[in-house]
Amino acid sequence: QVQLVESGGGLVQPGGSLRLSCAASGSIFHYNMGWYRRTPGKPRELVADIRSGGRTNYADSVKGRFTISRDNSKNTVYLQMNNLKPEDTAVYYCNAKVSILDYWGQGTQVTVSS
C-alpha cells in the first residue's frame, strides 16, 4: 500500500509559477511516478511522468514549461510549473505505478486566473 500526499497548489496569475510536491509513504526507488490532472467533465490526462531510471515524458501542452523530477532519498516527486496558462487550471494528482496497481494522492487544486 502506497500513500501519496500532494501539496503546493494554489491561485496564480497567467505567466506565473508553482511547484507541486508529492510525498510518498515509503520508498519510490523502483516506481514509475507521474502527475495527472482533471477538470470537471473531462477525462484525466497525463501531464508528465518520470520512470524509476529517471527518464521523463511530457504532454505536448506542457513541454518546455513543466519539469518533473524526483528525489528518491526524500521519497518525493516534484512538478515545477512555469509560464502557467488558464488552461492549466485543474486538480493535479500524483500517481505511483506499483506492479499492476496505480496509487493516487488526494489531489491539489491549481487555478490560473487573472
Side-chain angles (χ1 to χ4, degrees), residues 11-90:
L11 175 64
V12 65
Q13 296 183 65
S17 298
L18 287 172
R19 188 178 77 156
L20 306 183
S21 298
C22 170
S25 59
S27 176
I28 61 169
F29 186 80
H30 296 291
Y31 303 160
N32 296 333
M33 306 292 295
W35 287 96
Y36 292 73
R37 64 188 181 189
R38 177 179 288 164
T39 56
K42 297 181 179 180
R44 180 181 60 211
E45 67 171 344
L46 174 68
V47 177
D49 62 47
I50 182 166
R51 321 294 164 80
S52 61
R55 185 176 182 180
T56 58
N57 179 66
Y58 298 92
D60 287 342
S61 60
V62 307
K63 285 181 179 177
R65 299 189 297 120
F66 291 10
T67 302
I68 188 170
S69 61
R70 62 194 295 158
D71 187 340
N72 290 334
S73 70
K74 297 180 179 179
N75 299 327
T76 302
V77 177
Y78 304 96
L79 185 68
Q80 178 66 47
M81 304 184 293
N82 297 326
N83 192 24
L84 283 160
K85 303 177 183 297
E87 50 264 45
D88 296 318
T89 296

